[in-house]
Amino acid sequence: MSAYDSLSTFPDVPPELELIAQNPSITPVVFSNGTQKMVTNSVYHSPDLSPLSKVFKDVITVEEVEKFKPHPDVYFHLANKVGKSGEQMGEM
């Protein structure tokens, strides 16, 4: 899994993430099917991703749910983690 720690971003990602970071109505999070350890290591240690890690308010994975996207339960888990109700999921 060490290759996961050196993932590259597309060239348009850094400037767009900076724009997202400036918008107070958006709560940017990483939401992944990976494990918490794997995804967190990637976000905070990858040469391309780590400089952008400050943009993300949280790293949320499906590990606690023990199901994978696109199962609906993982999206309810995401909603709960970001402080939204299931009824508000359309706002995410």
XYZ file of all heavy atoms in Angstrom:
716
model
N 0.801 -1.203 0.000
C 0.000 0.000 0.000
C 0.847 1.272 0.000
O 0.305 2.365 0.006
C -0.930 0.016 1.206
C -2.062 -0.951 1.114
S -3.137 -0.488 -0.249
C -4.270 -1.809 -0.233
N 2.152 1.138 -0.002
C 2.998 2.329 0.005
C 2.803 3.157 -1.264
O 2.999 4.371 -1.250
C 4.458 1.968 0.197
O 4.910 1.175 -0.873
N 2.412 2.517 -2.360
C 2.147 3.257 -3.596
C 0.992 4.234 -3.399
O 0.948 5.295 -4.027
C 1.841 2.296 -4.734
N 0.073 3.891 -2.518
C -1.075 4.763 -2.239
C -0.625 6.075 -1.606
O -1.292 7.091 -1.712
C -2.045 4.013 -1.309
C -3.472 4.495 -1.387
C -4.271 4.166 -2.474
C -4.022 5.260 -0.378
C -5.584 4.599 -2.546
C -5.339 5.697 -0.437
C -6.112 5.362 -1.527
O -7.410 5.792 -1.591
N 0.533 6.058 -0.948
C 1.056 7.258 -0.293
C 1.744 8.212 -1.259
O 2.199 9.278 -0.851
C 2.031 6.887 0.817
C 1.343 6.164 1.953
O 0.109 6.272 2.071
O 2.039 5.488 2.725
N 1.821 7.829 -2.511
C 2.461 8.719 -3.488
C 1.536 9.019 -4.664
O 1.991 9.250 -5.772
C 3.777 8.106 -3.974
O 3.549 6.855 -4.577
N 0.244 9.028 -4.402
C -0.725 9.354 -5.452
C -0.524 10.782 -5.928
O -0.200 11.678 -5.145
C -2.153 9.188 -4.924
C -2.595 7.777 -4.586
C -3.996 7.816 -3.980
C -2.571 6.888 -5.810
N -0.711 10.984 -7.191
C -0.585 12.321 -7.776
C -1.968 12.917 -8.007
O -2.943 12.197 -8.187
C 0.148 12.239 -9.116
O 1.434 11.734 -8.934
N -2.020 14.233 -8.030
C -3.270 14.914 -8.355
C -3.209 15.387 -9.806
O -2.134 15.545 -10.369
C -3.492 16.136 -7.453
O -2.416 17.041 -7.643
C -3.590 15.744 -5.997
N -4.357 15.608 -10.385
C -4.413 16.210 -11.708
C -4.064 17.692 -11.555
O -4.301 18.290 -10.502
C -5.793 16.038 -12.335
C -6.098 14.609 -12.702
C -6.952 13.836 -11.924
C -5.529 14.030 -13.835
C -7.231 12.517 -12.258
C -5.789 12.713 -14.175
C -6.645 11.957 -13.392
N -3.518 18.313 -12.583
C -3.070 19.707 -12.483
C -4.153 20.703 -12.064
O -3.854 21.717 -11.443
C -2.559 20.033 -13.885
C -2.281 18.724 -14.518
C -3.220 17.729 -13.884
N -5.407 20.409 -12.393
C -6.469 21.355 -12.053
C -6.958 21.233 -10.608
O -7.705 22.080 -10.127
C -7.644 21.221 -13.018
C -8.246 19.824 -13.038
O -7.543 18.856 -12.690
O -9.418 19.690 -13.426
N -6.513 20.219 -9.887
C -7.002 19.991 -8.525
C -6.527 21.040 -7.524
O -7.354 21.610 -6.798
C -6.653 18.558 -8.056
C -6.917 18.377 -6.569
C -7.429 17.535 -8.872
N -5.234 21.345 -7.412
C -4.805 22.318 -6.391
C -5.507 23.675 -6.458
O -6.017 24.145 -5.431
C -3.290 22.430 -6.612
C -2.913 21.101 -7.180
C -4.068 20.735 -8.076
N -5.602 24.307 -7.624
C -6.281 25.614 -7.616
C -7.771 25.514 -7.277
O -8.330 26.415 -6.645
C -6.066 26.161 -9.029
C -5.636 25.014 -9.863
C -5.044 24.009 -8.942
N -8.411 24.430 -7.663
C -9.838 24.272 -7.345
C -10.033 24.025 -5.853
O -10.982 24.542 -5.254
C -10.456 23.147 -8.170
C -10.484 23.430 -9.660
C -11.196 24.733 -10.011
O -12.256 25.048 -9.419
O -10.688 25.458 -10.880
N -9.148 23.250 -5.240
C -9.255 23.034 -3.799
C -9.033 24.334 -3.031
O -9.678 24.574 -2.004
C -8.267 21.965 -3.331
C -8.670 20.527 -3.627
C -7.570 19.565 -3.196
C -9.985 20.168 -2.952
N -8.148 25.171 -3.520
C -7.932 26.469 -2.873
C -9.196 27.326 -2.957
O -9.547 28.012 -2.000
C -6.735 27.187 -3.497
C -5.405 26.522 -3.224
C -5.025 26.449 -1.751
O -5.464 27.317 -0.966
O -4.292 25.517 -1.383
N -9.893 27.274 -4.077
C -11.165 27.999 -4.208
C -12.213 27.452 -3.243
O -12.944 28.215 -2.605
C -11.682 27.924 -5.643
C -10.959 28.770 -6.681
C -11.487 28.474 -8.081
C -11.123 30.254 -6.355
N -12.274 26.136 -3.149
C -13.218 25.505 -2.229
C -12.915 25.938 -0.796
O -13.823 26.233 -0.016
C -13.174 23.967 -2.379
C -13.835 23.561 -3.704
C -13.831 23.269 -1.196
C -13.650 22.105 -4.068
N -11.643 25.987 -0.447
C -11.241 26.359 0.913
C -11.680 27.778 1.267
O -11.892 28.092 2.434
C -9.729 26.229 1.056
N -11.841 28.630 0.276
C -12.224 30.023 0.510
C -13.738 30.213 0.622
O -14.195 31.304 0.942
C -11.680 30.904 -0.614
C -10.176 30.959 -0.647
C -9.659 31.673 -1.890
O -10.352 32.473 -2.500
N -8.426 31.364 -2.261
N -14.495 29.161 0.353
C -15.950 29.258 0.383
C -16.468 28.723 1.720
O -16.465 27.516 1.958
C -16.542 28.456 -0.778
C -18.031 28.643 -0.896
O -18.722 28.930 0.082
N -18.547 28.457 -2.103
N -16.931 29.605 2.608
C -17.360 29.156 3.933
C -18.616 28.280 3.933
O -18.910 27.631 4.935
C -17.606 30.466 4.684
C -17.857 31.474 3.634
C -17.074 31.041 2.425
N -19.327 28.233 2.823
C -20.534 27.402 2.782
C -20.227 25.952 2.414
O -21.126 25.117 2.401
C -21.551 27.992 1.797
O -21.081 27.876 0.467
N -18.965 25.652 2.138
C -18.562 24.289 1.780
C -17.680 23.725 2.892
O -16.759 24.390 3.353
C -17.786 24.271 0.445
C -18.675 24.762 -0.692
C -17.252 22.877 0.145
C -17.949 24.903 -2.030
N -17.989 22.502 3.313
C -17.157 21.792 4.279
C -16.473 20.651 3.529
O -17.052 19.584 3.357
C -17.996 21.229 5.447
O -18.716 22.292 6.050
C -17.112 20.539 6.471
N -15.262 20.875 3.048
C -14.599 19.836 2.260
C -14.066 18.703 3.136
O -13.424 18.937 4.160
C -13.454 20.581 1.575
C -13.224 21.807 2.383
C -14.491 22.096 3.117
N -14.394 17.490 2.756
C -13.891 16.294 3.431
C -13.439 15.298 2.372
O -13.873 15.357 1.220
C -14.949 15.636 4.343
C -15.402 16.578 5.439
C -16.129 15.109 3.565
N -12.585 14.394 2.786
C -12.235 13.248 1.952
C -13.188 12.136 2.362
O -13.339 11.862 3.564
C -10.769 12.812 2.187
C -10.464 11.529 1.432
C -9.810 13.917 1.792
N -13.831 11.503 1.401
C -14.760 10.401 1.675
C -14.342 9.228 0.813
O -14.373 9.311 -0.413
C -16.195 10.840 1.361
C -17.239 9.793 1.605
C -17.269 9.072 2.789
C -18.205 9.540 0.659
C -18.243 8.112 3.022
C -19.195 8.594 0.871
C -19.209 7.878 2.055
N -13.930 8.133 1.454
C -13.311 7.045 0.715
C -13.762 5.672 1.189
O -14.139 5.479 2.349
C -11.788 7.147 0.870
O -11.141 6.055 0.274
N -13.655 4.698 0.279
C -13.866 3.288 0.594
C -12.631 2.680 1.263
O -12.680 1.563 1.740
C -14.173 2.481 -0.670
C -15.635 2.503 -1.053
O -16.500 2.727 -0.237
N -15.896 2.272 -2.330
N -11.518 3.384 1.267
C -10.296 2.866 1.872
C -10.390 2.828 3.386
O -11.354 3.301 3.985
N -9.362 2.287 4.025
C -9.325 2.280 5.484
C -8.913 3.665 5.984
O -8.281 4.431 5.261
C -8.322 1.242 6.024
O -7.002 1.641 5.654
C -8.628 -0.159 5.508
N -9.253 3.953 7.221
C -8.913 5.251 7.804
C -7.401 5.462 7.772
O -6.929 6.535 7.393
C -9.440 5.330 9.247
C -9.364 6.712 9.833
C -10.393 7.659 9.227
O -11.493 7.263 8.869
N -10.032 8.921 9.109
N -6.654 4.446 8.152
C -5.193 4.567 8.180
C -4.622 4.816 6.785
O -3.780 5.701 6.592
C -4.580 3.306 8.788
C -3.083 3.354 8.886
C -2.520 2.094 9.517
C -1.002 2.172 9.573
N -0.423 0.968 10.160
N -5.079 4.048 5.812
C -4.560 4.161 4.455
C -4.858 5.537 3.860
O -3.973 6.191 3.306
C -5.173 3.063 3.572
C -4.729 3.086 2.129
S -5.464 1.751 1.151
C -7.178 2.225 1.118
N -6.080 5.992 3.994
C -6.472 7.262 3.386
C -5.816 8.436 4.117
O -5.315 9.363 3.480
C -8.008 7.409 3.355
C -8.411 8.761 2.798
C -8.620 6.290 2.516
N -5.787 8.377 5.435
C -5.153 9.451 6.209
C -3.672 9.552 5.862
O -3.151 10.661 5.659
C -5.347 9.218 7.719
O -6.746 9.193 7.990
C -4.695 10.311 8.543
N -2.985 8.424 5.785
C -1.573 8.445 5.399
C -1.391 9.067 4.030
O -0.471 9.852 3.816
C -0.981 7.036 5.414
C -0.656 6.556 6.804
O -0.539 7.334 7.733
N -0.537 5.250 6.949
N -2.261 8.716 3.103
C -2.153 9.257 1.755
C -2.357 10.766 1.742
O -1.578 11.506 1.147
C -3.167 8.581 0.830
O -3.048 9.074 -0.470
N -3.395 11.239 2.418
C -3.708 12.672 2.419
C -2.594 13.481 3.076
O -2.219 14.538 2.588
C -5.059 12.938 3.115
C -5.283 14.419 3.344
C -6.202 12.351 2.283
N -2.042 12.967 4.168
C -1.073 13.752 4.931
C 0.388 13.497 4.582
O 1.253 14.254 5.020
C -1.299 13.554 6.431
C -2.608 14.156 6.868
C -3.709 13.367 7.139
C -2.763 15.540 6.953
C -4.931 13.923 7.507
C -3.969 16.111 7.305
C -5.042 15.293 7.589
O -6.245 15.856 7.931
N 0.658 12.455 3.765
C 2.058 12.139 3.457
C 2.392 12.084 1.973
O 3.567 12.075 1.617
C 2.466 10.823 4.126
C 2.324 10.874 5.619
N 3.126 11.651 6.408
C 1.442 10.274 6.447
C 2.764 11.521 7.669
N 1.738 10.698 7.720
N 1.398 12.041 1.117
C 1.650 12.034 -0.321
C 2.246 13.376 -0.740
O 1.754 14.431 -0.328
C 0.342 11.787 -1.074
O 0.493 12.074 -2.441
N 3.300 13.373 -1.547
C 3.910 14.639 -1.970
C 2.928 15.611 -2.635
O 3.010 16.818 -2.419
C 4.995 14.203 -2.956
C 5.319 12.808 -2.565
C 4.030 12.217 -2.063
N 1.988 15.092 -3.411
C 1.015 15.969 -4.077
C -0.140 16.373 -3.165
O -0.646 17.485 -3.246
C 0.438 15.290 -5.320
C 1.307 15.462 -6.552
O 2.440 15.972 -6.415
O 0.858 15.075 -7.645
N -0.585 15.440 -2.329
C -1.772 15.706 -1.505
C -1.463 16.433 -0.198
O -2.260 17.245 0.257
C -2.494 14.395 -1.189
C -3.167 13.696 -2.351
C -3.709 12.341 -1.904
C -4.274 14.541 -2.921
N -0.347 16.151 0.410
C -0.077 16.722 1.737
C -0.085 18.254 1.763
O -0.596 18.832 2.727
C 1.213 16.166 2.322
O 2.325 16.490 1.529
N 0.409 18.949 0.730
C 0.309 20.412 0.781
C -1.137 20.920 0.745
O -1.417 22.051 1.121
C 1.066 20.874 -0.468
C 1.940 19.740 -0.846
C 1.200 18.511 -0.412
N -2.051 20.077 0.304
C -3.466 20.449 0.197
C -4.283 19.960 1.386
O -5.470 20.262 1.489
C -4.053 19.874 -1.098
C -3.330 20.257 -2.382
C -3.814 19.409 -3.541
C -3.511 21.730 -2.670
N -3.666 19.199 2.279
C -4.412 18.556 3.362
C -5.129 19.552 4.266
O -6.159 19.225 4.852
C -3.484 17.668 4.190
O -2.482 18.434 4.820
N -4.616 20.760 4.374
C -5.248 21.774 5.232
C -6.642 22.157 4.750
O -7.454 22.679 5.514
C -4.368 23.009 5.324
C -4.258 23.765 4.012
C -3.295 24.930 4.097
C -3.192 25.716 2.826
N -2.917 24.984 1.614
N -6.926 21.881 3.491
C -8.239 22.210 2.925
C -9.329 21.317 3.532
O -10.449 21.771 3.768
C -8.226 22.046 1.388
C -9.617 22.161 0.799
C -7.280 23.052 0.761
N -8.982 20.074 3.814
C -9.971 19.095 4.260
C -10.238 19.208 5.749
O -9.321 19.233 6.561
C -9.517 17.686 3.906
C -9.279 17.506 2.437
C -7.997 17.361 1.944
C -10.334 17.529 1.543
C -7.768 17.216 0.583
C -10.122 17.392 0.185
C -8.839 17.235 -0.298
N -11.498 19.260 6.115
C -11.902 19.352 7.516
C -11.898 17.988 8.196
O -11.843 17.913 9.418
C -13.295 19.973 7.635
C -13.422 21.328 6.983
C -12.446 22.336 7.557
C -12.640 23.685 6.905
N -11.429 24.466 6.844
N -11.967 16.915 7.406
C -11.998 15.574 7.981
C -11.684 14.555 6.896
O -11.833 14.838 5.702
C -13.382 15.291 8.567
C -13.399 14.192 9.617
O -12.340 13.573 9.868
O -14.479 13.956 10.186
N -11.246 13.394 7.330
C -11.083 12.235 6.454
C -12.085 11.209 6.955
O -11.991 10.740 8.092
C -9.647 11.674 6.503
C -9.545 10.397 5.683
C -8.643 12.711 6.025
N -13.047 10.898 6.121
C -14.134 9.994 6.489
C -14.063 8.766 5.590
O -14.004 8.901 4.367
C -15.503 10.690 6.334
C -15.552 11.944 7.221
C -16.640 9.729 6.670
C -16.724 12.855 6.934
N -14.061 7.606 6.212
C -14.045 6.374 5.431
C -15.259 5.522 5.801
O -15.956 5.797 6.783
C -12.752 5.557 5.676
O -12.759 5.053 7.008
C -11.513 6.396 5.417
N -15.466 4.483 5.035
C -16.592 3.584 5.263
C -16.224 2.447 6.212
O -17.049 1.579 6.486
C -17.120 3.017 3.920
C -17.567 4.141 2.999
C -16.085 2.142 3.245
N -15.017 2.493 6.730
C -14.512 1.408 7.572
C -15.456 1.082 8.742
O -15.710 -0.090 9.019
C -13.129 1.794 8.093
C -12.374 0.670 8.749
C -10.929 1.046 9.023
O -10.571 2.245 9.016
O -10.162 0.114 9.244
N -15.990 2.097 9.417
C -16.898 1.871 10.549
C -18.193 1.186 10.115
O -18.787 0.432 10.877
C -17.271 3.197 11.205
C -16.173 3.861 11.977
C -16.646 5.188 12.567
O -17.776 5.256 13.100
O -15.884 6.160 12.475
N -18.644 1.474 8.925
C -19.917 0.960 8.418
C -19.776 -0.486 7.947
O -20.743 -1.247 7.963
C -20.435 1.856 7.258
C -21.788 1.387 6.751
C -20.500 3.302 7.688
N -18.583 -0.831 7.507
C -18.277 -2.164 6.978
C -19.096 -2.494 5.735
O -19.492 -3.627 5.505
C -18.437 -3.239 8.061
C -17.477 -3.050 9.221
C -17.582 -4.105 10.302
O -18.586 -4.868 10.337
O -16.662 -4.174 11.123
N -19.375 -1.450 4.969
C -20.015 -1.575 3.657
C -19.295 -0.586 2.765
O -18.587 0.294 3.238
C -21.506 -1.255 3.728
C -22.277 -2.233 4.594
C -23.720 -1.838 4.741
C -24.400 -2.834 5.679
N -25.649 -2.340 6.190
N -19.480 -0.722 1.469
C -18.763 0.143 0.530
C -19.724 0.953 -0.322
O -20.873 0.577 -0.507
C -17.852 -0.703 -0.379
C -16.788 -1.437 0.384
C -16.935 -2.771 0.700
C -15.639 -0.778 0.803
C -15.958 -3.446 1.411
C -14.651 -1.433 1.516
C -14.814 -2.770 1.821
N -19.218 2.093 -0.816
C -19.984 2.869 -1.789
C -20.263 1.949 -2.973
O -19.388 1.189 -3.344
C -19.181 4.091 -2.269
C -18.924 5.121 -1.200
C -18.252 6.361 -1.773
C -16.763 6.298 -1.562
N -16.033 7.405 -2.144
N -21.431 1.964 -3.494
C -22.516 2.936 -3.364
C -23.618 2.543 -2.381
O -24.731 3.059 -2.489
C -23.060 3.008 -4.780
C -22.920 1.610 -5.293
C -21.621 1.102 -4.662
N -23.356 1.671 -1.411
C -24.401 1.282 -0.454
C -24.931 2.525 0.263
O -24.150 3.358 0.731
C -23.853 0.285 0.560
C -24.924 -0.422 1.315
N -25.629 0.181 2.328
C -25.427 -1.673 1.180
C -26.520 -0.667 2.798
N -26.415 -1.809 2.120
N -26.245 2.670 0.369
C -26.829 3.865 1.004
C -26.343 4.107 2.436
O -26.223 5.262 2.858
C -28.334 3.591 0.986
C -28.529 2.590 -0.098
C -27.271 1.772 -0.160
N -26.051 3.053 3.188
C -25.623 3.237 4.577
C -24.358 4.082 4.696
O -24.185 4.812 5.671
C -25.395 1.889 5.258
C -26.682 1.153 5.557
O -27.781 1.725 5.364
O -26.594 -0.023 5.989
N -23.472 3.979 3.721
C -22.228 4.758 3.822
C -22.508 6.255 3.649
O -21.815 7.078 4.243
C -21.133 4.266 2.849
C -20.803 2.803 3.101
C -21.488 4.494 1.406
N -23.522 6.597 2.889
C -23.869 8.008 2.704
C -24.574 8.569 3.937
O -24.393 9.740 4.281
C -24.679 8.201 1.421
C -23.857 7.831 0.218
C -24.013 6.611 -0.422
C -22.847 8.683 -0.243
C -23.218 6.255 -1.501
C -22.044 8.329 -1.322
C -22.241 7.117 -1.937
O -21.445 6.757 -3.000
N -25.347 7.728 4.637
C -25.924 8.158 5.913
C -24.809 8.342 6.944
O -24.855 9.263 7.761
C -26.973 7.162 6.404
C -28.257 7.236 5.637
C -28.593 6.255 4.719
C -29.134 8.304 5.823
C -29.783 6.335 3.999
C -30.323 8.391 5.112
C -30.644 7.403 4.191
N -23.801 7.497 6.898
C -22.622 7.628 7.759
C -21.917 8.964 7.479
O -21.573 9.702 8.409
C -21.683 6.440 7.511
C -20.362 6.543 8.168
N -20.185 6.463 9.532
C -19.120 6.706 7.650
C -18.897 6.575 9.824
N -18.233 6.728 8.702
N -21.719 9.276 6.210
C -21.105 10.545 5.824
C -21.935 11.714 6.347
O -21.394 12.660 6.937
C -20.962 10.633 4.304
C -20.525 11.991 3.737
C -19.135 12.366 4.239
C -20.580 11.959 2.219
N -23.235 11.651 6.148
C -24.118 12.730 6.609
C -23.968 12.927 8.110
O -23.821 14.063 8.588
C -25.567 12.420 6.246
N -23.970 11.848 8.854
C -23.822 11.925 10.302
C -22.483 12.560 10.691
O -22.427 13.415 11.573
C -23.950 10.529 10.906
C -23.855 10.552 12.405
O -24.624 11.230 13.078
N -22.901 9.810 12.936
N -21.429 12.161 10.014
C -20.091 12.672 10.336
C -19.954 14.169 10.071
O -19.187 14.848 10.745
C -19.018 11.915 9.542
C -18.791 10.501 10.001
C -18.077 10.508 11.333
C -17.524 9.147 11.663
N -16.766 9.149 12.911
N -20.669 14.675 9.080
C -20.582 16.112 8.777
C -21.724 16.910 9.414
O -21.897 18.088 9.110
C -20.489 16.396 7.249
C -19.252 15.756 6.662
C -21.746 15.948 6.522
N -22.490 16.255 10.288
C -23.514 16.968 11.019
C -24.797 17.228 10.253
O -25.517 18.172 10.548
N -25.076 16.391 9.278
C -26.309 16.528 8.496
C -27.232 15.366 8.826
O -26.788 14.281 9.218
C -26.012 16.495 6.990
C -25.120 17.608 6.495
C -25.905 18.854 6.265
C -25.053 19.906 5.595
N -25.798 21.116 5.343
N -28.501 15.554 8.621
C -29.457 14.461 8.776
C -29.614 13.762 7.426
O -29.200 14.293 6.395
C -30.812 14.996 9.236
O -31.414 15.751 8.214
N -30.210 12.612 7.450
C -30.450 11.895 6.212
C -31.290 12.697 5.240
O -31.089 12.633 4.030
N -32.212 13.507 5.775
C -33.082 14.317 4.923
C -32.305 15.433 4.228
O -32.725 15.957 3.201
C -34.234 14.926 5.729
C -35.227 13.922 6.264
C -34.737 13.186 7.501
O -34.038 13.781 8.349
O -35.022 11.988 7.611
N -31.167 15.807 4.787
C -30.353 16.888 4.227
C -29.307 16.380 3.240
O -28.531 17.170 2.715
C -29.635 17.639 5.349
C -30.553 18.382 6.284
C -29.788 18.957 7.449
O -29.197 18.222 8.233
N -29.789 20.271 7.553
N -29.309 15.122 2.940
C -28.246 14.557 2.091
C -28.218 15.185 0.710
O -27.166 15.266 0.103
C -28.371 13.045 2.000
C -27.976 12.381 3.311
S -28.178 10.613 3.292
C -27.063 10.118 2.004
N -29.349 15.669 0.224
C -29.357 16.316 -1.074
C -28.593 17.632 -1.073
O -28.230 18.138 -2.121
N -28.306 18.169 0.103
C -27.585 19.420 0.230
C -26.071 19.185 0.251
O -25.304 20.136 0.282
C -27.996 20.147 1.506
C -29.448 20.526 1.528
C -29.871 21.108 2.866
O -29.004 21.451 3.676
O -31.088 21.200 3.093
N -25.645 17.953 0.272
C -24.207 17.664 0.365
C -23.575 17.673 -0.988
O -24.131 17.398 -1.969
C -23.958 16.330 1.053
C -24.407 16.375 2.482
S -23.832 15.058 3.525
C -24.168 13.575 2.660
